[in-house]
Amino acid sequence: MCRVIAISSNKGGVGKTTTAVNLGIGLARNGKRVLLIDVDAQADLSKSLGIRNPSGLEYTLTEVLQSIADNEDIDPKAGIIRHDEGVDLMPGSINLVALDTTLSNYKNGDSVLWKYIEMLRDEYDYILIDSKPALVKLSVNVLAAADSVIIPVLAEYLPISNIEPTILSVRLVKRRLNHKLEVEGFVFTMFDKRTTLAKESVTAVKNAYADHVKIFDSIIPRANSLAKAPAFGESIYKFDPRGKGAEAYEALTLEVLANE
Ligand SMILES: Nc1ncnc2c1ncn2[C@@H]1O[C@H](COP(=O)(O)OP(=O)(O)OP(=O)(O)O)[C@@H](O)[C@H]1O
Ligand SMILES: [Mg+2]
């Protein structure tokens, strides 16, 4: 059974892409067949996995989704790139911005990503979707296509006001388009254990949500190596295998596996 997980937050810069890379490769290291889908016009996920110029690629997620919107037949495996750490990647590109605006002209404009993923479910154990809130129609597509959502939460000032818009989006899409959508859990990111602010924000989020949302025990620390690894197209397990970032993402991976 394939599980489709969106790494999602309405707030930018909270560690979505970093989590997609290191959870995805973490799952592959545990023997799972993993596809990462880059629903971001900046294609940060693709760049983090070593694709230097995603917009120079001929066939990306943009072309796939455009064909599906136009009801054309596609080969669902076309354009998928194998990364040497054992995951597959469907890259994004800058043209996703244009696609996002045209999707509202299509009757099936909310469900093209869902349709694409349906064609690939048998091929993978996990499909992780990395996205960007700036893409309006595509953000709906992401939540419409996912079974569950992992929400990275920055351990800093005002985390709760940043979480609420994400929860509202999930609720809205669940009601309208995807009744089985669930929040898989919150994961704290960029945690700096030296600051009381970080500890206070973790406590505040736990007090507000822990009785109805899972909060992963694994907390991702702020670690320079996590910020540096993407420039080398590597996961944290390869870039800094003994560091605290690798340890934390490994622990998160095991928690996600335990949810199966
Ligand atoms: N735990 C961490 N410690 C230190 N730096 C981190 C950590 N996680 C992510 N970063 C860095 O912080 C920045 C934002 O992270 P990332 O790109 O994963 O966030 P995002 O939510 O995907 O952002 P966007 O909304 O722009 O897509 C990046 O430069 C990344 O390398
Ligand atoms: Mg990102």
Side-chain angles (χ1 to χ4, degrees):
M1 263 268 285
C2 175
R3 298 178 69 210
V4 181
I5 304 177
I7 317 294
S8 194
S9 168
N10 287 35
K11 183 162 165 58
V14 293
K16 294 184 291 293
T17 302
T18 307
T19 299
V21 168
N22 293 300
L23 175 60
I25 292 178
L27 290 165
R29 287 159 56 88
N30 279 273
K32 300 296 179 184
R33 299 168 302 163
V34 179
L35 172 66
L36 299 171
I37 303 183
D38 191 354
V39 192
D40 173 3
Q42 279 174 24
D44 285 346
L45 175 67
S46 309
K47 290 177 199 158
S48 300
L49 291 171
I51 312 289
R52 297 247 169 266
N53 178 21
S55 292
L57 296 170
E58 257 175 45
Y59 198 71
T60 67
L61 186 67
T62 313
E63 287 70 37
V64 172
L65 298 184
Q66 183 66 62
S67 294
I68 292 174
D70 290 329
N71 276 319
E72 292 167 9
D73 283 339
I74 61 151
D75 169 4
K77 291 185 199 163
I80 291 178
I81 296 169
R82 184 84 178 160
H83 183 266
D84 64 8
E85 290 183 68
V87 291
D88 281 355
L89 165 74
M90 171 43 86
S93 80
I94 189 71
N95 298 329
L96 283 169
V97 175
L99 175 73
D100 191 59
T101 53
T102 51
L103 278 178
S104 40
N105 301 328
Y106 289 85
K107 236 167 83 186
N108 62 352
D110 285 338
S111 60
V112 284
L113 183 64
W114 173 81
K115 201 164 172 199
Y116 174 54
I117 287 175
E118 282 304 294
M119 295 181 221
L120 288 165
R121 269 187 182 264
D122 289 346
E123 310 289 328
Y124 294 100
D125 301 307
Y126 283 87
I127 297 179
L128 303 188
I129 312 171
D130 181 34
S131 65
K132 217 165 174 106
L135 297 166
V136 182
K137 271 278 166 189
L138 283 167
S139 300
V140 174
N141 265 270
V142 167
L143 295 179
D147 301 324
S148 67
V149 184
I150 290 178
I151 302 175
V153 176
L154 215 62
E156 60 164 31
Y157 185 53
L158 287 182
I160 294 174
S161 62
N162 291 325
I163 293 168
E164 265 321 289
T166 310
I167 297 279
L168 285 175
S169 308
V170 170
R171 257 192 229 138
L172 196 75
V173 174
K174 182 179 169 81
R175 203 177 327 129
R176 268 187 51 220
L177 295 165
N178 182 4
H179 299 309
K180 61 176 201 282
L181 183 64
E182 298 296 344
V183 175
E184 177 118 6
F186 293 166
V187 56
F188 287 107
T189 57
M190 305 193 213
F191 182 79
D192 184 347
K193 68 170 191 252
R194 294 165 305 182
T195 71
T196 45
L197 185 62
K199 286 178 224 155
E200 279 168 14
S201 69
V202 167
T203 309
V205 171
K206 283 187 174 165
N207 287 343
Y209 292 98
D211 57 341
H212 54 288
V213 181
K214 178 183 169 67
I215 299 178
F216 288 104
D217 293 330
S218 320
I219 293 181
I220 311 303
R222 191 173 281 284
N224 279 338
S225 54
L226 281 166
K228 283 187 197 150
F232 298 85
E234 291 178 352
S235 76
I236 196 61
Y237 312 109
K238 191 162 177 197
F239 185 74
D240 182 19
R242 290 185 219 294
K244 55 188 181 169
E247 191 186 334
Y249 272 111
E250 207 151 42
L252 177 68
T253 302
L254 295 180
E255 281 193 78
V256 171
L257 285 167
N259 283 351
E260 270 182 11

